[in-house]
Amino acid sequence: MSKFSEQIFFTNFPNCGNILIGFFVSYKILVSQLKCFPNKEEKNKLLSIIKSMTIVGINGNLVFVQVDVSNGLPYFEIVGLPDTIVREAKERVRIAIKNSSYDFFSKRIVVNMAPANIKKIGALFDLPIAIGILSSIGIIRNKDFNDYVIIGELSLDGKIKKVREALAICIELKKQGINNIIIPKENENEVKFVNGIDIYIASNLKEVVEFFNREKELKKVKILDYNKFIND
């Protein structure tokens, strides 16, 4: 097209240039988004499943905290019949991760707490949700979670706070034949008489991350003999 023809074209269609620029920009964005879609192998790496537990009445029910992280507009949703406190975990977890010196880029995060027909109550799910997110974004490299149940409330500075269900959950795990649990350090004294399982304690989020990355060990609760304690 000659310069004269271009002048005539853009004179008669003054908005055409803006339309072409807009089309080009939209095309570039679309291509970049398509490149971000993970393949099947990569998608599996972005899904983490962490075991936790909830107490309903006198029964303990295992909860599988499924965390999926994908590219897209920032989004964070928790589904699976969570109560208000569990829903509020979104802000506690996000800020606790940031204040624990981990990069937490804007992602699309969906947390499903299975089974969906059991009410999830309390802040004890903060820690398993955070561990699932950090695993899905690659901060935790060794995804050896199957043998552990994790409970704990997170404060905004990344410290793990006491939960009231710790003793009941430890007793229930022993009944169900589950051997390992990670709990807040503040719950240590009340579980010292629960034998038959390994109870690990952690003071903050970073300690748990380093444990699963096999960088540091978590302290185990020293179990006391109840009969000997009574006789003494």
Side-chain angles (χ1 to χ4, degrees), residues 76-93:
F76 195 159
E77 187 57 78
I78 300 175
V79 298
L81 209 59
D83 71 349
T84 302
I85 297 175
V86 178
R87 289 185 181 277
E88 291 173 348
K90 292 184 285 188
E91 290 305 312
R92 290 194 299 272
V93 167

Side-chain angles (χ1 to χ4, degrees), residues 53 62 147-149 173-180 196-197:
M53 181 169 275
L62 274 179
D147 296 331
Y148 296 89
V149 167
L173 291 182
K174 181 181 178 181
K175 292 179 183 177
Q176 296 187 18
I178 299 172
N179 297 322
N180 302 290
I197 63 173

Side-chain angles (χ1 to χ4, degrees), residues 80-223:
L81 209 59
D83 71 349
T84 302
I85 297 175
V86 178
R87 289 185 181 277
E88 291 173 348
K90 292 184 285 188
E91 290 305 312
R92 290 194 299 272
V93 167
R94 183 179 64 82
I95 297 174
I97 290 175
K98 177 177 69 72
N99 288 334
S100 298
S101 302
Y102 297 116
D103 292 327
F104 189 20
F105 300 109
S106 296
K107 296 283 186 179
R108 180 180 176 84
I109 300 170
V110 177
V111 177
N112 178 45
M113 311 183 80
N117 63 329
I118 297 175
K119 186 75 172 177
K120 317 305 184 304
I121 301 171
L124 74 162
F125 297 107
D126 289 5
L127 184 56
I129 290 172
I131 293 300
I133 291 172
L134 291 172
S135 173
S136 293
I137 64 177
I139 300 296
I140 297 178
R141 299 177 295 277
N142 299 309
K143 302 186 179 184
D144 189 17
F145 305 122
N146 289 336
D147 296 331
Y148 296 89
V149 167
I150 302 175
I151 61 172
E153 178 183 347
L154 286 174
S155 61
L156 299 185
D157 59 0
K159 291 180 180 178
I160 304 173
K161 300 173 65 177
K162 183 177 182 178
V163 295
R164 64 181 181 180
E165 303 91 341
L167 178 58
I169 287 175
C170 287
I171 294 172
E172 188 64 30
L173 291 182
K174 181 181 178 181
K175 292 179 183 177
Q176 296 187 18
I178 299 172
N179 297 322
N180 302 290
I181 183 171
I182 297 174
I183 68 171
K185 188 179 187 304
E186 294 179 0
N187 288 107
E188 179 180 7
N189 289 333
E190 67 192 76
V191 299
K192 283 186 174 181
F193 296 105
V194 183
N195 57 16
I197 63 173
D198 290 328
I199 305 173
Y200 297 85
I201 53 175
S203 300
N204 56 66
L205 176 60
K206 198 173 187 69
E207 289 181 357
V208 183
V209 173
E210 291 173 342
F211 173 72
F212 282 115
N213 279 336
R214 299 173 186 172
E215 297 170 352
K216 292 184 180 179
E217 291 294 322
L218 286 177
K219 178 185 173 183
K220 283 186 186 180
V221 174
K222 185 178 180 181
I223 303 300

